Amino acid sequence: MKIAELFKEKKVVFSFEVFPPKKTSSIDTIYQTLDGLSDLKPDFISVTYGAGGSNASVITADIASIIKNKYGIEPMAHLTCVNSSKEDVEKALGVLNKHGIENILALRGDINPELPPQTDFKYASELVSFIKEQGYDFNISGACYPEAHPETRDKIQDIRNLKNKVDMGVDHLVSQLFFDNNDFYSFMERAWIAGINVPIEAGIMPVVNKAQIERMASLCGASLPVKFVKMMQKFEDSPEAMRDAGIAYAVDQIVDLVSNGVRGIHLYTMNNPVIAKRICDSISGLRGYYQK
């Protein structure tokens, strides 16, 4: 099922993100993650792009196929273009189509200095347009940044770029992580004013490690509010306390977002089904309410 159709059927969509095993690990290690996550009954699971190299898209497609055919959950396969030629993308689309994958998250991706530079695609909007031209019937999703993309000039330019990407054919948006819901609400208002009317999911990442979250926040341009920083400083030397506080913070974010009418929650699981389960257990009544 296409993700855009899920939003027509459900009041609130709950989804997860997983990433492929490292190059040194077997693809079989993903089964442990998926075994735990599938029990939580997400509406779909996204799979990040493989860790570089010519086989990256195949690995992502294989895992997406496992999610769809073994676990009976709708997958969304990430597809990046900054290190790909048009021929590479054509091959990747063919593989995804062969696997019966209907949903793609079209991304520019990060530049990998270990791979030869490519020049066919500069922006995700160009990838979206190219996918549309190939004649496949994919549901195309895109990424958005509540606090604006780190490389953009300002929030006005950022929302214009996003509107262009949606106009190219994006059916659904997933936000990068954020820790202040007011940043997301302000972004939603800018999107509405710009005429962006596709479903938008809020991306939530639970804190389990101070160093990791600071690195992730710097990569995607997310600011750390005072309340969040105080929590990290208080519990950084106690992994158990940091885990519990991080879960509580994420749950608080989710409850507030859904209460304010946000129709999609995308949980960045970091391949940790235990953390995901703790969060889902805490909002089980909320999910049940919106599934009535």
Side-chain angles (χ1 to χ4, degrees), residues 115-127:
L115 297 176
Q118 299 289 339
T119 58
D120 285 350
F121 301 99
K122 188 175 181 181
Y123 303 109
S125 57
E126 297 172 345
L127 174 61

Side-chain angles (χ1 to χ4, degrees), residues 225-240:
V226 173
K227 176 182 176 181
F228 186 88
V229 172
K230 286 183 176 179
M231 180 190 74
M232 288 197 301
Q233 291 174 341
K234 182 72 173 178
F235 304 118
E236 62 179 308
D237 295 325
S238 173
E240 295 82 6

Side-chain angles (χ1 to χ4, degrees), residues 2-3 8 22 28-29 33 40 47 64 81 83 119 129 150 162 175 193-194 211 218 223 236 256 273 291:
K2 294 181 173 62
I3 290 172
K8 294 178 182 179
K22 295 179 180 179
D28 291 339
T29 60
T33 297
L40 305 178
V47 187
C81 64
N83 292 308
T119 58
S129 178
L162 183 63
S175 91
I193 292 171
S218 66
S223 60
E236 62 179 308
D256 182 72
Q291 289 172 354

